[in-house]
Amino acid sequence: MKQSEFLNLVMPFKDKLFRLSKRLLTSVEEAEDATQEVLLKLWKGRKNLSTYKSIEAFAMTMTKNYCLDKLKSKQASNLKLVHSNYKDEQTSLQKQVELNDSLNWVNKIVQKLPEQQRMILQLRDVEQYDFDEIAKVMDMNPTAIRVALSRARKTVREELIKKHNYGVS
Amino acid sequence: MELVRVEQLLEKYLEATTTVAEEKELQNYFSGKEVAPHLEEYQAMFAYFSGAKDEQFTKQVPLKTRNNFIKWASVAAVLIFSFGMYWQYQATPDYTQEEIDEAKMVLAMLSNNFNKGTQSIGHLNTFSDGVSQINHIDHFEQQTNKLLRNE
């Protein structure tokens, strides 16, 4: 497999890998490293790529596992990642300036979710995967995913309502 | 979209039973300007989700293919080097037939002359014969001394 072929294969979902790892690892640099690592692993194993049913799902699973490993080692070394480089540069959001603050809140709430729920929320609501694809990536059955997703969404909503009503009621 | 439908979809959304298409509908509704005030919290959620989707991975991935080349080049270098050493030690000086003949001739001459030398040394033997004959003179002298004492 040539380099250009590989890039064509990988380009469509590399951003998804990056976003998933950022959701899990919080920092942009860590997420970039994780994405690079996963892509390099794919490149090294390029001979076997054709044997996988869905390379995207495979890559997502690799990213998930890699990030969880990273988090484990981070926790072991007592290193806490502080979220400091979150930026919102979306033009569609700039129209709704008053929402920016809420967006930060949403982000904070999402970061507080358990890793599993955070991943599922990312895969579903951001990347819009269907349940079967998420099931493949997460190695869980669809029902469990549905439950986790429902919990995640409810938590986010309730937390947001709490923030909105803070000091009001 | 009608408010009733939005609320229905939201209910399903929270139970995670909406389809991807229905979620897109919701996404569209909340990215619009006319959002019912009591659904404000969803607006933030959906805005966050669509914002999160625009993040991109911009780092370049170094896909190394040169590694192999360097590996094989080093193997080739070692091979060439060892062959060079081999040939270097293999090459012994080559003599032509003429040179060999000449050397044989020279050696033959040397041995001839050497033999002549030993022959002339053989004459020394006659000298020692002569010396032993002179010893007989001593014998003669002893005899005369004996005769003189008897007198």
Side-chain angles (χ1 to χ4, degrees), chain A residues 3 14-15 18-19 22-23 33 35-36 39-40 43 90 102-103 106-107 124-126 128 131 146 150 153-154 156-157 160-161, chain B residues 13-20 23-24 31 40-45 47-49 52-57 59 61-65:
Chain A
Q3 200 164 329
K14 72 169 175 26
D15 292 334
F18 172 66
R19 289 191 289 254
K22 197 189 156 198
R23 193 63 56 230
D33 284 352
T35 314
Q36 182 171 342
L39 289 179
L40 277 178
W43 170 247
Q90 271 60 55
S102 319
L103 282 181
V106 179
N107 187 55
R124 177 65 178 195
D125 279 338
V126 180
Q128 284 157 351
F131 284 113
R146 210 176 281 271
S150 164
R153 283 172 175 173
K154 279 178 183 162
V156 173
R157 174 173 175 257
L160 267 179
I161 290 173
Chain B
Y13 173 79
L14 285 182
E15 295 306 320
T17 48
T18 39
T19 61
V20 174
E23 279 165 28
K24 270 191 187 148
S31 60
E40 235 175 62
E41 68 267 14
Y42 291 105
Q43 197 175 8
M45 263 171 92
Y48 171 76
F49 291 144
K53 210 188 170 178
D54 292 333
E55 278 185 274
Q56 282 182 339
F57 178 68
K59 211 174 166 184
V61 185
L63 300 173
K64 282 176 236 148
T65 44

Short mmCIF file of all heavy atoms in Angstrom, two decimals, chain A residues 3 14-15 18-19 22-23 33 35-36 39-40 43 90 102-103 106-107 124-126 128 131 146 150 153-154 156-157 160-161, chain B residues 13-20 23-24 31 40-45 47-49 52-57 59 61-65:
data_model
loop_
_atom_site.label_atom_id
_atom_site.label_comp_id
_atom_site.label_asym_id
_atom_site.label_seq_id
_atom_site.Cartn_x
_atom_site.Cartn_y
_atom_site.Cartn_z
N GLN A 3 1.82 5.34 0.31
CA GLN A 3 1.53 6.38 1.30
C GLN A 3 0.28 7.17 0.94
O GLN A 3 -0.55 7.44 1.80
CB GLN A 3 2.73 7.31 1.37
CG GLN A 3 2.78 8.11 2.64
CD GLN A 3 4.15 8.72 2.85
OE1 GLN A 3 5.16 8.15 2.45
NE2 GLN A 3 4.21 9.87 3.46
N LYS A 14 -9.55 10.88 10.51
CA LYS A 14 -8.50 11.27 11.45
C LYS A 14 -8.98 12.32 12.45
O LYS A 14 -8.58 12.29 13.63
CB LYS A 14 -7.26 11.74 10.72
CG LYS A 14 -7.39 13.10 10.05
CD LYS A 14 -6.03 13.55 9.61
CE LYS A 14 -5.99 14.83 8.83
NZ LYS A 14 -6.99 15.84 8.98
N ASP A 15 -9.87 13.22 11.99
CA ASP A 15 -10.39 14.23 12.91
C ASP A 15 -11.24 13.59 14.01
O ASP A 15 -11.25 14.05 15.15
CB ASP A 15 -11.23 15.26 12.15
CG ASP A 15 -10.36 16.08 11.22
OD1 ASP A 15 -9.16 16.21 11.52
OD2 ASP A 15 -10.87 16.58 10.21
N PHE A 18 -9.00 12.28 16.56
CA PHE A 18 -8.47 13.39 17.35
C PHE A 18 -9.49 13.87 18.37
O PHE A 18 -9.18 14.09 19.53
CB PHE A 18 -8.07 14.53 16.41
CG PHE A 18 -7.68 15.79 17.11
CD1 PHE A 18 -6.54 15.82 17.90
CD2 PHE A 18 -8.46 16.93 16.99
CE1 PHE A 18 -6.18 16.99 18.56
CE2 PHE A 18 -8.10 18.09 17.65
CZ PHE A 18 -6.96 18.12 18.43
N ARG A 19 -10.72 14.02 17.92
CA ARG A 19 -11.74 14.55 18.83
C ARG A 19 -12.03 13.58 19.97
O ARG A 19 -12.20 13.99 21.12
CB ARG A 19 -13.02 14.87 18.05
CG ARG A 19 -12.85 16.07 17.15
CD ARG A 19 -14.17 16.53 16.59
NE ARG A 19 -14.69 15.60 15.61
CZ ARG A 19 -14.69 15.83 14.30
NH1 ARG A 19 -14.20 16.95 13.83
NH2 ARG A 19 -15.19 14.96 13.47
N LYS A 22 -9.25 13.78 22.32
CA LYS A 22 -9.26 15.04 23.07
C LYS A 22 -10.34 15.00 24.16
O LYS A 22 -10.14 15.49 25.26
CB LYS A 22 -9.52 16.21 22.13
CG LYS A 22 -9.14 17.52 22.81
CD LYS A 22 -9.55 18.72 22.04
CE LYS A 22 -9.67 19.88 23.02
NZ LYS A 22 -10.46 20.97 22.48
N ARG A 23 -11.45 14.39 23.82
CA ARG A 23 -12.52 14.27 24.81
C ARG A 23 -12.03 13.49 26.03
O ARG A 23 -12.36 13.79 27.16
CB ARG A 23 -13.73 13.56 24.17
CG ARG A 23 -15.01 13.62 24.94
CD ARG A 23 -15.54 15.04 25.11
NE ARG A 23 -15.72 15.72 23.84
CZ ARG A 23 -15.24 16.93 23.60
NH1 ARG A 23 -14.55 17.57 24.51
NH2 ARG A 23 -15.43 17.51 22.45
N ASP A 33 -0.80 13.72 20.09
CA ASP A 33 0.14 12.61 20.21
C ASP A 33 -0.58 11.27 20.06
O ASP A 33 -0.10 10.38 19.37
CB ASP A 33 0.84 12.66 21.58
CG ASP A 33 1.91 13.72 21.60
OD1 ASP A 33 2.17 14.28 20.53
OD2 ASP A 33 2.46 14.00 22.69
N THR A 35 -3.40 10.65 18.55
CA THR A 35 -3.86 10.45 17.17
C THR A 35 -2.69 10.01 16.28
O THR A 35 -2.81 9.08 15.49
CB THR A 35 -4.45 11.74 16.61
OG1 THR A 35 -5.32 12.29 17.57
CG2 THR A 35 -5.20 11.49 15.33
N GLN A 36 -1.58 10.69 16.47
CA GLN A 36 -0.40 10.35 15.67
C GLN A 36 0.03 8.91 15.93
O GLN A 36 0.34 8.16 15.00
CB GLN A 36 0.72 11.32 16.03
CG GLN A 36 1.97 11.07 15.21
CD GLN A 36 2.99 12.17 15.42
OE1 GLN A 36 2.67 13.24 15.89
NE2 GLN A 36 4.20 11.89 15.08
N LEU A 39 -2.35 6.54 14.21
CA LEU A 39 -2.16 6.54 12.76
C LEU A 39 -0.88 5.81 12.38
O LEU A 39 -0.83 5.06 11.40
CB LEU A 39 -2.14 7.97 12.22
CG LEU A 39 -3.48 8.70 12.25
CD1 LEU A 39 -3.35 10.11 11.72
CD2 LEU A 39 -4.53 7.96 11.43
N LEU A 40 0.16 6.00 13.18
CA LEU A 40 1.42 5.31 12.89
C LEU A 40 1.27 3.80 13.05
O LEU A 40 1.82 3.03 12.26
CB LEU A 40 2.52 5.82 13.81
CG LEU A 40 3.20 7.11 13.36
CD1 LEU A 40 4.25 7.55 14.35
CD2 LEU A 40 3.82 6.93 11.99
N TRP A 43 -0.38 2.57 10.07
CA TRP A 43 0.55 2.59 8.94
C TRP A 43 1.50 1.40 9.00
O TRP A 43 1.80 0.77 8.00
CB TRP A 43 1.29 3.92 8.95
CG TRP A 43 2.44 4.01 8.00
CD1 TRP A 43 3.76 4.11 8.32
CD2 TRP A 43 2.39 4.04 6.56
NE1 TRP A 43 4.53 4.18 7.19
CE2 TRP A 43 3.73 4.15 6.10
CE3 TRP A 43 1.37 3.97 5.63
CZ2 TRP A 43 4.03 4.19 4.74
CZ3 TRP A 43 1.69 4.01 4.28
CH2 TRP A 43 3.00 4.12 3.86
N GLN A 90 -15.59 28.81 16.61
CA GLN A 90 -16.58 28.55 15.58
C GLN A 90 -17.38 29.81 15.25
O GLN A 90 -17.88 30.48 16.13
CB GLN A 90 -17.53 27.45 16.03
CG GLN A 90 -17.05 26.07 15.68
CD GLN A 90 -15.72 25.75 16.29
OE1 GLN A 90 -15.57 25.84 17.50
NE2 GLN A 90 -14.74 25.39 15.48
N SER A 102 -22.35 29.31 28.36
CA SER A 102 -23.01 28.02 28.54
C SER A 102 -22.19 26.90 27.91
O SER A 102 -22.13 25.79 28.43
CB SER A 102 -24.40 28.03 27.93
OG SER A 102 -25.04 29.23 28.18
N LEU A 103 -21.55 27.22 26.76
CA LEU A 103 -20.74 26.20 26.09
C LEU A 103 -19.62 25.73 26.99
O LEU A 103 -19.33 24.53 27.08
CB LEU A 103 -20.17 26.75 24.80
CG LEU A 103 -21.12 26.82 23.63
CD1 LEU A 103 -20.40 27.36 22.41
CD2 LEU A 103 -21.66 25.43 23.33
N VAL A 106 -21.07 23.45 29.41
CA VAL A 106 -21.33 22.12 28.86
C VAL A 106 -20.04 21.32 28.83
O VAL A 106 -19.99 20.16 29.23
CB VAL A 106 -21.93 22.21 27.43
CG1 VAL A 106 -22.16 20.81 26.87
CG2 VAL A 106 -23.21 22.99 27.44
N ASN A 107 -18.99 21.98 28.38
CA ASN A 107 -17.71 21.29 28.29
C ASN A 107 -17.27 20.79 29.66
O ASN A 107 -16.81 19.65 29.79
CB ASN A 107 -16.66 22.23 27.71
CG ASN A 107 -15.36 21.50 27.45
OD1 ASN A 107 -15.35 20.49 26.76
ND2 ASN A 107 -14.29 21.99 28.03
N ARG A 124 -21.77 9.50 19.67
CA ARG A 124 -23.13 9.64 19.17
C ARG A 124 -23.46 11.09 18.82
O ARG A 124 -23.83 11.40 17.69
CB ARG A 124 -24.10 9.13 20.24
CG ARG A 124 -25.56 9.27 19.88
CD ARG A 124 -25.92 8.42 18.70
NE ARG A 124 -27.34 8.53 18.40
CZ ARG A 124 -27.99 7.70 17.62
NH1 ARG A 124 -27.34 6.71 17.04
NH2 ARG A 124 -29.27 7.86 17.39
N ASP A 125 -23.33 11.99 19.79
CA ASP A 125 -23.83 13.33 19.56
C ASP A 125 -22.88 14.21 18.77
O ASP A 125 -23.30 15.16 18.12
CB ASP A 125 -24.16 13.98 20.91
CG ASP A 125 -25.51 13.52 21.42
OD1 ASP A 125 -26.31 13.07 20.58
OD2 ASP A 125 -25.77 13.58 22.63
N VAL A 126 -21.61 13.90 18.82
CA VAL A 126 -20.69 14.70 18.03
C VAL A 126 -20.42 14.03 16.69
O VAL A 126 -20.55 14.63 15.63
CB VAL A 126 -19.38 14.96 18.80
CG1 VAL A 126 -18.43 15.79 17.95
CG2 VAL A 126 -19.67 15.67 20.11
N GLN A 128 -21.99 11.36 15.47
CA GLN A 128 -23.23 10.80 14.92
C GLN A 128 -23.09 9.39 14.36
O GLN A 128 -23.54 9.08 13.27
CB GLN A 128 -23.81 11.75 13.87
CG GLN A 128 -24.47 12.92 14.55
CD GLN A 128 -24.58 14.14 13.67
OE1 GLN A 128 -24.01 14.18 12.59
NE2 GLN A 128 -25.31 15.13 14.13
N PHE A 131 -25.83 3.10 16.60
CA PHE A 131 -25.54 2.27 17.78
C PHE A 131 -24.66 1.06 17.46
O PHE A 131 -23.83 0.66 18.26
CB PHE A 131 -26.84 1.83 18.45
CG PHE A 131 -27.47 2.94 19.24
CD1 PHE A 131 -28.68 3.50 18.86
CD2 PHE A 131 -26.84 3.43 20.38
CE1 PHE A 131 -29.23 4.54 19.59
CE2 PHE A 131 -27.39 4.47 21.12
CZ PHE A 131 -28.60 5.02 20.72
N ARG A 146 -27.21 2.34 24.84
CA ARG A 146 -28.39 3.19 24.92
C ARG A 146 -28.59 3.72 26.34
O ARG A 146 -28.84 4.91 26.55
CB ARG A 146 -29.61 2.38 24.48
CG ARG A 146 -30.69 3.16 23.82
CD ARG A 146 -31.78 2.22 23.36
NE ARG A 146 -31.43 1.56 22.10
CZ ARG A 146 -31.71 2.07 20.91
NH1 ARG A 146 -32.33 3.22 20.82
NH2 ARG A 146 -31.38 1.44 19.81
N SER A 150 -28.30 7.58 27.44
CA SER A 150 -29.43 8.25 28.05
C SER A 150 -29.02 8.91 29.37
O SER A 150 -29.35 10.07 29.64
CB SER A 150 -30.54 7.23 28.28
OG SER A 150 -31.49 7.73 29.17
N ARG A 153 -26.86 12.04 28.67
CA ARG A 153 -27.63 13.18 28.20
C ARG A 153 -28.41 13.81 29.34
O ARG A 153 -28.48 15.03 29.48
CB ARG A 153 -28.59 12.73 27.09
CG ARG A 153 -27.89 12.53 25.77
CD ARG A 153 -28.81 11.90 24.77
NE ARG A 153 -28.19 11.80 23.45
CZ ARG A 153 -28.74 11.16 22.43
NH1 ARG A 153 -29.90 10.56 22.57
NH2 ARG A 153 -28.14 11.12 21.27
N LYS A 154 -29.02 12.94 30.15
CA LYS A 154 -29.81 13.47 31.26
C LYS A 154 -28.93 14.23 32.24
O LYS A 154 -29.31 15.30 32.73
CB LYS A 154 -30.54 12.32 31.98
CG LYS A 154 -31.81 11.91 31.26
CD LYS A 154 -32.46 10.76 31.97
CE LYS A 154 -33.70 10.28 31.22
NZ LYS A 154 -34.11 8.95 31.63
N VAL A 156 -26.11 15.76 31.66
CA VAL A 156 -25.70 17.05 31.09
C VAL A 156 -26.85 18.05 31.22
O VAL A 156 -26.65 19.20 31.64
CB VAL A 156 -25.28 16.89 29.62
CG1 VAL A 156 -25.03 18.24 28.98
CG2 VAL A 156 -24.05 16.02 29.51
N ARG A 157 -28.04 17.62 30.89
CA ARG A 157 -29.18 18.53 30.92
C ARG A 157 -29.45 19.01 32.34
O ARG A 157 -29.63 20.21 32.59
CB ARG A 157 -30.41 17.80 30.36
CG ARG A 157 -31.67 18.61 30.49
CD ARG A 157 -32.83 17.98 29.79
NE ARG A 157 -34.01 18.78 30.06
CZ ARG A 157 -34.95 18.45 30.94
NH1 ARG A 157 -34.84 17.32 31.62
NH2 ARG A 157 -35.99 19.23 31.12
N LEU A 160 -26.92 21.41 33.51
CA LEU A 160 -27.09 22.71 32.86
C LEU A 160 -28.21 23.50 33.51
O LEU A 160 -28.11 24.71 33.75
CB LEU A 160 -27.38 22.52 31.38
CG LEU A 160 -26.19 22.55 30.45
CD1 LEU A 160 -26.64 22.32 29.02
CD2 LEU A 160 -25.45 23.87 30.56
N ILE A 161 -29.31 22.80 33.79
CA ILE A 161 -30.46 23.48 34.42
C ILE A 161 -30.04 24.02 35.78
O ILE A 161 -30.36 25.14 36.16
CB ILE A 161 -31.65 22.51 34.54
CG1 ILE A 161 -32.22 22.24 33.14
CG2 ILE A 161 -32.74 23.10 35.42
CD1 ILE A 161 -33.29 21.17 33.10
N TYR B 13 -35.02 11.72 22.89
CA TYR B 13 -33.58 11.98 22.88
C TYR B 13 -32.97 11.64 24.23
O TYR B 13 -31.93 10.99 24.31
CB TYR B 13 -33.35 13.45 22.52
CG TYR B 13 -31.91 13.90 22.64
CD1 TYR B 13 -30.99 13.59 21.65
CD2 TYR B 13 -31.48 14.64 23.74
CE1 TYR B 13 -29.67 14.00 21.75
CE2 TYR B 13 -30.16 15.04 23.85
CZ TYR B 13 -29.27 14.73 22.85
OH TYR B 13 -27.96 15.13 22.96
N LEU B 14 -33.66 12.04 25.29
CA LEU B 14 -33.13 11.78 26.62
C LEU B 14 -33.14 10.29 26.94
O LEU B 14 -32.32 9.81 27.71
CB LEU B 14 -33.92 12.55 27.68
CG LEU B 14 -33.63 14.05 27.73
CD1 LEU B 14 -34.43 14.70 28.83
CD2 LEU B 14 -32.15 14.32 27.94
N GLU B 15 -34.08 9.56 26.34
CA GLU B 15 -34.10 8.12 26.54
C GLU B 15 -33.15 7.41 25.58
O GLU B 15 -33.06 6.19 25.58
CB GLU B 15 -35.52 7.57 26.36
CG GLU B 15 -36.52 8.06 27.41
CD GLU B 15 -36.06 7.81 28.84
OE1 GLU B 15 -35.49 6.73 29.08
OE2 GLU B 15 -36.24 8.70 29.68
N ALA B 16 -32.51 8.20 24.75
CA ALA B 16 -31.58 7.67 23.74
C ALA B 16 -32.27 6.71 22.77
O ALA B 16 -31.72 5.68 22.41
CB ALA B 16 -30.38 7.01 24.39
N THR B 17 -33.49 7.05 22.38
CA THR B 17 -34.17 6.20 21.41
C THR B 17 -34.37 6.93 20.08
O THR B 17 -35.01 6.39 19.18
CB THR B 17 -35.54 5.73 21.95
OG1 THR B 17 -36.23 6.86 22.48
CG2 THR B 17 -35.38 4.67 23.01
N THR B 18 -33.83 8.10 19.95
CA THR B 18 -33.94 8.82 18.68
C THR B 18 -32.98 8.23 17.66
O THR B 18 -31.95 7.68 18.02
CB THR B 18 -33.60 10.31 18.85
OG1 THR B 18 -32.50 10.42 19.76
CG2 THR B 18 -34.76 11.11 19.35
N THR B 19 -33.34 8.38 16.39
CA THR B 19 -32.41 7.95 15.34
C THR B 19 -31.45 9.11 15.05
O THR B 19 -31.68 10.24 15.50
CB THR B 19 -33.16 7.59 14.06
OG1 THR B 19 -33.85 8.76 13.62
CG2 THR B 19 -34.15 6.48 14.29
N VAL B 20 -30.43 8.79 14.28
CA VAL B 20 -29.47 9.84 13.92
C VAL B 20 -30.17 10.96 13.16
O VAL B 20 -29.91 12.15 13.38
CB VAL B 20 -28.32 9.23 13.08
CG1 VAL B 20 -27.41 10.33 12.57
CG2 VAL B 20 -27.53 8.24 13.91
N GLU B 23 -32.04 13.19 15.47
CA GLU B 23 -31.12 14.04 16.22
C GLU B 23 -30.64 15.19 15.36
O GLU B 23 -30.42 16.30 15.87
CB GLU B 23 -29.94 13.20 16.73
CG GLU B 23 -30.31 12.46 17.99
CD GLU B 23 -29.35 11.36 18.35
OE1 GLU B 23 -28.16 11.47 17.98
OE2 GLU B 23 -29.77 10.38 19.00
N LYS B 24 -30.49 14.92 14.07
CA LYS B 24 -30.10 16.02 13.17
C LYS B 24 -31.19 17.07 13.12
O LYS B 24 -30.91 18.28 13.08
CB LYS B 24 -29.81 15.48 11.78
CG LYS B 24 -28.35 15.09 11.62
CD LYS B 24 -28.00 14.81 10.18
CE LYS B 24 -26.58 14.27 10.11
NZ LYS B 24 -26.41 13.33 9.01
N SER B 31 -30.00 25.06 16.38
CA SER B 31 -29.02 26.01 15.83
C SER B 31 -29.73 27.21 15.21
O SER B 31 -29.10 28.21 14.89
CB SER B 31 -28.12 25.31 14.81
OG SER B 31 -28.92 24.81 13.76
N GLU B 40 -33.90 26.36 26.59
CA GLU B 40 -32.60 27.01 26.42
C GLU B 40 -31.41 26.07 26.69
O GLU B 40 -30.41 26.10 25.99
CB GLU B 40 -32.52 28.20 27.36
CG GLU B 40 -32.18 29.50 26.66
CD GLU B 40 -32.25 30.63 27.65
OE1 GLU B 40 -31.47 30.60 28.61
OE2 GLU B 40 -33.09 31.52 27.47
N GLU B 41 -31.56 25.26 27.75
CA GLU B 41 -30.41 24.42 28.12
C GLU B 41 -30.01 23.46 26.99
O GLU B 41 -28.84 23.15 26.81
CB GLU B 41 -30.69 23.64 29.41
CG GLU B 41 -31.76 22.56 29.31
CD GLU B 41 -33.14 23.07 29.69
OE1 GLU B 41 -33.30 24.31 29.77
OE2 GLU B 41 -34.04 22.26 29.90
N TYR B 42 -31.02 23.05 26.19
CA TYR B 42 -30.69 22.17 25.08
C TYR B 42 -29.90 22.92 24.02
O TYR B 42 -29.05 22.35 23.34
CB TYR B 42 -31.98 21.61 24.45
CG TYR B 42 -32.70 20.65 25.34
CD1 TYR B 42 -33.86 21.03 25.99
CD2 TYR B 42 -32.21 19.37 25.52
CE1 TYR B 42 -34.53 20.15 26.81
CE2 TYR B 42 -32.87 18.48 26.33
CZ TYR B 42 -34.03 18.87 26.98
OH TYR B 42 -34.68 18.00 27.79
N GLN B 43 -30.24 24.20 23.89
CA GLN B 43 -29.53 24.98 22.89
C GLN B 43 -28.01 24.93 23.15
O GLN B 43 -27.22 24.73 22.23
CB GLN B 43 -30.02 26.42 22.93
CG GLN B 43 -29.67 27.18 21.69
CD GLN B 43 -30.26 28.58 21.69
OE1 GLN B 43 -30.81 29.04 22.70
NE2 GLN B 43 -30.15 29.26 20.58
N ALA B 44 -27.65 25.11 24.41
CA ALA B 44 -26.22 25.07 24.76
C ALA B 44 -25.63 23.70 24.44
O ALA B 44 -24.55 23.59 23.87
CB ALA B 44 -26.04 25.38 26.23
N MET B 45 -26.39 22.66 24.77
CA MET B 45 -25.90 21.31 24.51
C MET B 45 -25.62 21.07 23.04
O MET B 45 -24.55 20.63 22.64
CB MET B 45 -26.95 20.28 24.98
CG MET B 45 -26.70 19.71 26.35
SD MET B 45 -28.11 18.73 26.87
CE MET B 45 -27.64 17.11 26.29
N ALA B 47 -25.36 23.23 20.65
CA ALA B 47 -24.33 24.12 20.11
C ALA B 47 -22.95 23.56 20.43
O ALA B 47 -22.04 23.58 19.60
CB ALA B 47 -24.48 25.52 20.71
N TYR B 48 -22.83 23.03 21.62
CA TYR B 48 -21.55 22.44 22.02
C TYR B 48 -21.21 21.25 21.13
O TYR B 48 -20.07 21.12 20.66
CB TYR B 48 -21.63 22.00 23.48
CG TYR B 48 -20.45 21.20 23.92
CD1 TYR B 48 -19.23 21.83 24.18
CD2 TYR B 48 -20.54 19.82 24.06
CE1 TYR B 48 -18.13 21.09 24.57
CE2 TYR B 48 -19.44 19.08 24.46
CZ TYR B 48 -18.24 19.72 24.71
OH TYR B 48 -17.16 18.98 25.09
N PHE B 49 -22.19 20.41 20.88
CA PHE B 49 -21.93 19.22 20.06
C PHE B 49 -21.51 19.60 18.65
O PHE B 49 -20.55 19.04 18.11
CB PHE B 49 -23.18 18.33 19.99
CG PHE B 49 -23.51 17.68 21.30
CD1 PHE B 49 -24.83 17.49 21.69
CD2 PHE B 49 -22.49 17.27 22.15
CE1 PHE B 49 -25.13 16.89 22.90
CE2 PHE B 49 -22.78 16.67 23.36
CZ PHE B 49 -24.11 16.49 23.74
N ALA B 52 -18.05 21.00 18.75
CA ALA B 52 -17.02 19.99 18.99
C ALA B 52 -16.70 19.22 17.72
O ALA B 52 -15.61 18.67 17.58
CB ALA B 52 -17.48 19.03 20.08
N LYS B 53 -17.66 19.21 16.80
CA LYS B 53 -17.45 18.43 15.58
C LYS B 53 -16.50 19.12 14.61
O LYS B 53 -15.98 18.50 13.70
CB LYS B 53 -18.79 18.18 14.90
CG LYS B 53 -18.76 16.88 14.15
CD LYS B 53 -19.95 16.65 13.30
CE LYS B 53 -19.66 15.42 12.44
NZ LYS B 53 -20.75 15.06 11.61
N ASP B 54 -16.31 20.42 14.83
CA ASP B 54 -15.48 21.16 13.87
C ASP B 54 -14.00 21.12 14.20
O ASP B 54 -13.19 21.62 13.43
CB ASP B 54 -15.96 22.62 13.80
CG ASP B 54 -17.33 22.70 13.17
OD1 ASP B 54 -17.65 21.80 12.39
OD2 ASP B 54 -18.08 23.64 13.49
N GLU B 55 -13.67 20.56 15.31
CA GLU B 55 -12.25 20.48 15.66
C GLU B 55 -11.54 19.56 14.69
O GLU B 55 -12.07 18.52 14.31
CB GLU B 55 -12.10 19.96 17.08
CG GLU B 55 -12.28 21.04 18.11
CD GLU B 55 -11.99 20.48 19.48
OE1 GLU B 55 -12.91 19.91 20.09
OE2 GLU B 55 -10.85 20.60 19.91
N GLN B 56 -10.32 19.97 14.35
CA GLN B 56 -9.60 19.15 13.38
C GLN B 56 -8.20 18.81 13.86
O GLN B 56 -7.61 19.53 14.65
CB GLN B 56 -9.50 19.90 12.05
CG GLN B 56 -10.80 19.82 11.29
CD GLN B 56 -10.72 20.51 9.97
OE1 GLN B 56 -9.86 21.36 9.77
NE2 GLN B 56 -11.61 20.16 9.07
N PHE B 57 -7.75 17.72 13.31
CA PHE B 57 -6.39 17.28 13.60
C PHE B 57 -5.48 17.87 12.54
O PHE B 57 -5.60 17.55 11.36
CB PHE B 57 -6.35 15.76 13.57
CG PHE B 57 -4.98 15.19 13.80
CD1 PHE B 57 -4.37 15.32 15.03
CD2 PHE B 57 -4.32 14.52 12.79
CE1 PHE B 57 -3.12 14.78 15.25
CE2 PHE B 57 -3.07 13.99 13.00
CZ PHE B 57 -2.46 14.12 14.24
N LYS B 59 -1.97 18.19 12.86
CA LYS B 59 -0.58 17.78 12.92
C LYS B 59 -0.24 16.86 11.74
O LYS B 59 -1.07 16.07 11.31
CB LYS B 59 -0.36 17.03 14.23
CG LYS B 59 1.02 17.19 14.79
CD LYS B 59 1.06 16.52 16.15
CE LYS B 59 2.47 16.35 16.63
NZ LYS B 59 2.52 15.63 17.89
N VAL B 61 1.54 13.71 10.15
CA VAL B 61 1.99 12.40 10.64
C VAL B 61 3.20 11.96 9.82
O VAL B 61 3.11 11.85 8.61
CB VAL B 61 0.88 11.35 10.52
CG1 VAL B 61 1.33 10.04 11.13
CG2 VAL B 61 -0.37 11.85 11.19
N PRO B 62 4.32 11.76 10.48
CA PRO B 62 5.50 11.31 9.73
C PRO B 62 5.40 9.82 9.42
O PRO B 62 5.56 8.99 10.29
CB PRO B 62 6.66 11.59 10.68
CG PRO B 62 6.04 11.57 12.04
CD PRO B 62 4.58 11.87 11.91
N LEU B 63 5.09 9.50 8.18
CA LEU B 63 5.00 8.09 7.78
C LEU B 63 6.36 7.70 7.21
O LEU B 63 6.72 8.09 6.12
CB LEU B 63 3.91 7.90 6.73
CG LEU B 63 2.51 8.28 7.18
CD1 LEU B 63 1.56 8.20 6.01
CD2 LEU B 63 2.05 7.39 8.30
N LYS B 64 7.10 6.97 7.98
CA LYS B 64 8.48 6.67 7.59
C LYS B 64 8.53 5.48 6.64
O LYS B 64 8.01 4.42 6.94
CB LYS B 64 9.31 6.36 8.82
CG LYS B 64 9.71 7.63 9.55
CD LYS B 64 10.44 7.28 10.82
CE LYS B 64 9.75 7.92 12.00
NZ LYS B 64 9.86 7.16 13.22
N THR B 65 9.14 5.68 5.49
CA THR B 65 9.39 4.55 4.62
C THR B 65 10.88 4.39 4.40
O THR B 65 11.33 3.44 3.81
CB THR B 65 8.71 4.74 3.26
OG1 THR B 65 8.94 6.07 2.84
CG2 THR B 65 7.23 4.46 3.33
#
